[in-house]
Amino acid sequence: MPCSRSCATPARGQLLRLTGHALRDAAGALLGRAEHRVGIFGPPGATAAITSPDAAAGYGAIIGPTFVNDMPARGILTIPLNRPVTAAPRVRCPMLLVVAADDAIAPPSAVRKVAATAGGRVETVELDCGHFDIYVGEPFATSLERQIAFLRTV
């Protein structure tokens, strides 16, 4: 099932706020100030790195009791540099991509494009689940089984 939500595309205002927080933290670091922190996850519109309707419940299912939902805001500045689609053609090693078909954070179309443009052998597993579903229950068991099988072939 294709992603039915806008796949984690934050509103322009949210991006501007996050960028402002990130620049404030980066400048503060240069001046020796304490870190300025933002949320790692939150609902749509939150001042957080990952925002989606399922973020709180999804993270809640996989984090431990000591997890703190914050990070240095300057970390936001590196997110746009993470471009798997751009890097894929340079990857020559065998690659397994597990696609969560209803992912609201990592668009399935982008993962499929990585698979199509990768420079080496690629195996793709597509599971009918959301971004966080793949870390628990049956989707996790299926993903893990496929990962082990893949590793045995390489």
Side-chain angles (χ1 to χ4, degrees), residues 30-105:
L30 292 172
L31 298 171
R33 294 186 182 149
E35 291 177 334
H36 173 64
R37 301 179 75 79
V38 296
I40 295 170
F41 66 88
T47 304
I50 298 173
T51 58
S52 70
D54 60 347
Y59 265 97
I62 61 174
I63 58 177
T66 60
F67 179 83
V68 178
N69 183 23
D70 70 18
M71 62 180 273
R74 71 189 85 133
I76 298 294
L77 298 174
T78 63
I79 292 172
L81 304 176
N82 182 11
R83 305 289 306 153
V85 172
T86 304
R90 296 187 305 274
V91 177
R92 301 285 180 234
C93 64
M95 184 184 332
L96 172 68
L97 298 173
V98 181
V99 182
D102 195 27
D103 198 317
I105 295 171

Side-chain angles (χ1 to χ4, degrees), residues 14 35 66 86 91 111 117 146 149 153:
Q14 180 186 3
E35 291 177 334
T66 60
T86 304
V91 177
V111 181
T117 61
R146 295 296 297 269
T153 68

